[in-house]
Amino acid sequence: GVKVFLQKEFRNRFHRPLYLQTHPQRRCKMKKPELLLPAGSIETALAAFDGGADAVYCGLAKFNARERAVNFSFPQLRTLLERAKSEGKKVYITFNTLLKSSELSEAAQFLAELAKTPPDALIVQDPGVIQLVNKYFPFFSKIPELVIGSQNKLAPRFSLASTKEIY
């Protein structure tokens, strides 16, 4: 009696797929991981898309950690964004340098130019930049970079709750 009941209960509980063992309202589907690759030019971005990438990230002439490398110009970025949208792909822009307070107005002008053809998201390192984007460009999605730091006066007002989860 009890032994058979326990054997059946064990079998029912532990020999079912994991998603059936959870409460029905707590079930969730796993999201497909996004394959994100770097792109230093339109050619490498298109090659990444052809190779199966879901998205690419790239930098512009200023305010990215690879400023000394060859980066995208605004016209090149517009071309890439149009092509990516037509293929159902995403383009993220790295805005991942620490800004000094004296650079905030220049960064705002740069973001205003970028807002004319907005990317799918900005990858941001500086909390002050996130504050700037939230205040003046709230339509930008933001991805906080793994390492967050700051050198400007806007950072004390920052919280990670101010970033929009896009994944």
Side-chain angles (χ1 to χ4, degrees), residues 37 45 75 84 100 108 132 160:
L37 296 175
K100 298 175 185 160
L132 184 69
L160 276 176

Side-chain angles (χ1 to χ4, degrees), residues 2 22-24 27 31 38 45 52 55 67 100 105 109-111 114 120-121 124-125 128 136 140 148 165-166:
V2 173
T22 60
H23 190 276
R27 287 185 202 158
K31 295 180 181 178
E67 281 185 20
K100 298 175 185 160
S105 64
Q109 291 171 354
F110 201 78
L111 288 166
L114 187 58
D120 293 290
V124 182
Q125 179 181 13
Y136 298 106
F140 278 133
I148 291 185
E165 184 179 315
I166 67 159

Side-chain angles (χ1 to χ4, degrees), residues 62-107:
K62 291 210 61 153
F63 305 115
N64 80 79
R66 293 174 183 84
E67 281 185 20
R68 293 184 185 139
V70 176
N71 289 301
F72 282 79
S73 65
F74 282 111
Q76 291 172 327
L77 177 63
R78 287 183 190 103
T79 303
L80 177 61
L81 286 167
E82 289 169 7
R83 182 79 180 266
K85 298 283 186 227
S86 70
E87 295 181 16
K89 307 292 184 172
K90 295 179 182 177
V91 177
Y92 302 147
I93 298 298
T94 56
F95 205 93
N96 59 343
T97 56
L98 298 176
L99 301 183
K100 298 175 185 160
S101 293
S102 61
E103 296 175 309
L104 290 173
S105 64
E106 185 182 1

Side-chain angles (χ1 to χ4, degrees), residues 115-137:
K116 292 176 183 174
T117 52
D120 293 290
L122 296 175
I123 299 173
V124 182
Q125 179 181 13
D126 192 320
V129 172
I130 292 176
Q131 289 296 315
L132 184 69
V133 170
N134 284 344
K135 185 171 183 177
Y136 298 106
F137 309 98

